[in-house]
Amino acid sequence: MEKKIIAVASSNANKIREMSEILTEYSFVPMKDLGFDEDIAEDGKSFRENAYIKASTVAKALGVPALADDSGLCVDALGGAPGIYSSRYSGGGNAENRALLLKNMEGEEDRSAHFCCCVCLCGPDGSAVYGEGKTYGKILCAEEGSGGFGYDPLFFSDDLGKSFGVASAEEKNAVSHRARALNDLKSKI
Ligand code: IMP
């Protein structure tokens, strides 16, 4: 059977790969392959607001339904930081973000944290359906593994009993914030 195509309001190849692994019945097409290649200002105050900004911008521009994921790592000892600023935490890339997180967590006993994800499926008319998911764990004192992306090597998953950096894609997708958010969305559409 032909897979239903969904435009994705993201240029993050890792997110799009995980979406395709999690909801295998859909074909996720990056926005730039459909002709939208602009930066979208993520100036919302929550994962939900940012997911809507991204999905609605692309859906309105392309005239088709679009899916966006806004996600991040929330660390209790840091008051929920980096949160919605996870991708921009250090001003550098993923390695610099992880290095800054390790530095800011030096000597910290409470290492509890969770990943948060809000996905938004938006129509060209601005109508929106949301899915939300969280996954809980601890910030490690050093990187473990090199799998996944972003903060994965520093995140010890309570569900898996190992870091997302050493987990297989299947293991991560069984418990991840993104899988939970996408399945929540799927139950509503
Ligand atoms: P966004 O593109 O503004 O939603 O930023 C998402 C950022 O949160 C990513 O760039 C990563 O730094 C972090 N992040 C979100 N999901 C994950 C994940 O599954 N693993 C590791 N880091 C993640």
Side-chain angles (χ1 to χ4, degrees):
M1 202 176 71
E2 287 256 313
K3 289 189 182 185
K4 192 160 185 221
I5 290 175
I6 297 187
V8 186
S10 175
S11 47
N12 183 327
N14 286 298
K15 281 186 184 178
I16 300 171
R17 172 184 51 77
E18 290 191 356
M19 288 172 178
S20 309
E21 291 166 353
I22 294 162
L23 294 189
T24 52
E25 59 271 58
Y26 294 95
S27 174
F28 293 96
V29 182
M31 60 186 187
K32 72 172 178 337
D33 292 358
L34 296 168
F36 187 96
D37 198 10
E38 290 164 34
D39 280 337
I40 303 171
E42 293 182 36
D43 51 9
K45 304 229 171 339
S46 64
F47 294 111
R48 195 177 169 97
E49 282 183 21
N50 280 335
Y52 180 75
I53 290 167
K54 292 187 275 191
S56 60
T57 302
V58 174
K60 285 174 190 169
L62 294 178
V64 296
L67 177 74
D69 157 319
D70 202 70
S71 46
L73 180 66
C74 304
V75 181
D76 291 3
L78 302 178
I84 60 170
Y85 304 105
S86 291
S87 64
R88 306 166 258 171
Y89 191 37
S90 65
N94 285 324
E96 289 81 8
N97 288 342
R98 292 195 298 270
L100 180 61
L101 177 61
L102 275 182
K103 183 167 166 287
N104 289 343
M105 288 296 286
E106 260 170 29
E108 195 56 66
E109 273 182 25
D110 177 8
R111 307 201 63 97
S112 45
H114 61 275
F115 275 117
C116 242
C117 178
C118 179
V119 288
C120 175
L121 182 63
C122 213
D125 62 353
S127 58
V129 186
Y130 295 90
E132 290 177 337
K134 291 182 182 176
T135 194
Y136 289 85
K138 318 255 174 326
I139 302 304
L140 293 160
C141 294
E143 294 189 13
E144 283 182 15
S146 56
F149 71 100
Y151 297 93
D152 280 346
L154 286 179
F155 186 79
F156 179 91
S157 160
D158 288 345
D159 285 310
L160 297 179
K162 61 171 109 170
S163 96
F164 274 176
V166 301
S168 67
E170 291 75 20
E171 288 172 326
K172 180 182 171 188
N173 292 336
V175 301
S176 80
H177 50 312
R178 185 159 295 104
R180 288 173 178 162
L182 287 167
N183 283 313
D184 182 32
L185 174 74
K186 191 178 155 188
S187 72
K188 298 174 184 169
I189 56 175

